[in-house]
Amino acid sequence: MNYKNITVSNEGLIATVTINRPDKLNALNKQVIAELGDCMTQLDNDVEIRCVILTGSGDKAFVAGADISEFASFSVDEGKKLAAEGQQKLFDLVENMTTPVIAAVNGFALGGGLELAMSCHMRVASENAKMGLPEVSLGVIPGYGGTQRLPRLIGKGRAMELIATAQMMSASRAEETGLVNYVVPQEALLEKCQEIAKKIVRNSPTAIGFAIQAINAGFDHETNGFNSEIELFGKAFGTNDFKEGTTAFLEKRKADFKGN
Ligand code: COA
């Protein structure tokens, strides 16, 4: 995969995607969003990849937001289109990937940067990370799902405060509130994400994909999450991974999941 603004490296079944615009603190412009969307789609369809780590280049920022210079002169319709296309092409796409994505938040995760981290299935932050949705300080609101995903992760009252004050949250506070799963020293960040990823890739990728779908269904107002769980639970019984997992357990050996 050849991209201008992102790099992808694979280690076994784990891919690491790095957003590479350090001079602009990895801000998300149209091209970065398109490249990330394309890359994530390809990784999700790649049976050799069972977990993705997403991070930013440099030691200062994960992503400092949507590229402000790109939308500063937008009209009402252009603003609406920016949010709709971004949500569809990247943020919803990442959330609905059946390959788990871990955000390695290595510094500022602001605006679209925090929204991107929140679209990932889990987050690990470095001690220097700072997270916030400062859009109202620019006269706009979060448009890449931030008003929806932040309250789900930290609760409505805390989300209201973070969004209305436009302040940044420290990594330790983010861990306390459940916004991130762990906080580690910056030099240990990718190692911690790899440690989680290695535990993930031992398991059935098919079952993990079903679990992600069932969990996400519970947050979709038009879907009954419990019914989705019943459907997907049943569907799992028809997979080779289920046969392999149960047989391996009974034969007292390690399962060799093929992801089908
Ligand atoms: N969009 C476009 N460019 C951005 C950006 C963004 N969201 N965030 C940072 N940059 C650019 C800066 O313009 C600067 O570019 P320049 O060197 O060509 O002037 C470069 O990245 C470095 O940023 P700088 O502001 O000089 O770094 P800093 O350490 O002084 O401050 C931040 C870091 C994150 C506090 C500050 O960059 C910031 O507030 N960024 C915007 C955050 C934001 O509001 N995001 C939400 C957008 S909806």
Side-chain angles (χ1 to χ4, degrees):
M1 286 185 255
N2 255 337
Y3 298 106
K4 199 164 161 264
N5 298 287
I6 58 177
T7 54
V8 187
S9 65
N10 296 353
E11 198 183 317
L13 299 165
I14 304 161
T16 301
V17 177
T18 307
I19 303 166
N20 202 6
R21 269 190 101 200
D23 54 324
K24 296 289 175 195
L25 304 186
N26 304 318
L28 298 175
N29 61 15
K30 223 174 159 180
Q31 196 177 2
V32 179
I33 289 183
E35 289 184 6
L36 270 177
D38 182 75
C39 173
M40 289 299 195
T41 304
Q42 290 200 41
L43 292 173
D44 204 24
N45 292 331
D46 185 343
V47 291
E48 301 296 322
I49 296 300
R50 298 192 183 173
C51 189
V52 178
I53 298 168
L54 175 63
T55 194
S57 63
D59 55 10
K60 202 171 162 186
F62 172 70
V63 169
D67 193 319
I68 299 169
S69 65
E70 242 183 22
F71 63 74
S73 61
F74 272 13
S75 67
V76 169
D77 285 342
E78 286 170 320
K80 201 170 159 185
K81 189 163 171 251
L82 180 77
E85 285 188 358
Q87 289 193 16
Q88 185 224 333
K89 285 186 182 156
L90 182 60
F91 298 79
D92 292 354
L93 185 149
V94 170
E95 182 169 60
N96 291 309
M97 280 170 65
T98 51
T99 308
V101 184
I102 306 172
V105 182
N106 57 310
F108 289 114
L110 302 173
L114 180 56
E115 290 173 301
L116 182 60
M118 291 192 297
S119 298
C120 296
H121 301 105
M122 55 203 100
R123 287 147 292 284
V124 181
S126 57
E127 285 165 348
N128 64 314
K130 283 200 161 54
M131 284 151 266
L133 294 177
E135 284 85 349
V136 298
S137 71
L138 299 167
V140 68
I141 70 166
Y144 289 145
T147 63
Q148 305 305 301
R149 292 192 182 98
L150 186 64
R152 288 171 187 173
L153 285 164
I154 69 171
K156 188 175 169 186
R158 289 186 181 125
M160 287 281 187
E161 182 182 338
L162 198 71
I163 291 172
T165 60
Q167 294 296 295
M168 295 184 206
M169 191 185 258
S170 67
S172 60
R173 180 71 182 145
E175 188 181 21
E176 254 171 48
T177 57
L179 183 53
V180 303
N181 295 17
Y182 304 96
V183 177
V184 294
Q186 187 159 47
E187 58 279 11
L189 179 63
L190 289 179
E191 202 182 306
K192 179 69 190 175
C193 294
Q194 284 276 345
E195 182 193 312
I196 300 169
K198 281 177 187 156
K199 289 180 186 160
I200 289 174
V201 304
R202 280 185 214 146
N203 302 313
S204 156
T206 320
I208 290 174
F210 289 174
I212 291 173
Q213 287 176 56
I215 293 168
N216 283 345
F219 292 94
D220 174 357
H221 291 307
E222 279 150 36
T223 311
N224 180 316
F226 289 96
N227 287 343
S228 297
E229 184 182 278
I230 291 167
E231 282 305 312
L232 290 157
F233 179 80
K235 202 171 162 190
F237 284 72
T239 65
N240 289 328
D241 274 8
F242 173 72
K243 284 184 197 78
E244 170 59 13
T246 47
T247 307
F249 178 82
L250 295 173
E251 290 175 355
K252 299 190 188 308
R253 63 172 172 81
K254 221 171 122 241
D256 179 16
F257 292 114
K258 302 282 189 240
N260 57 22

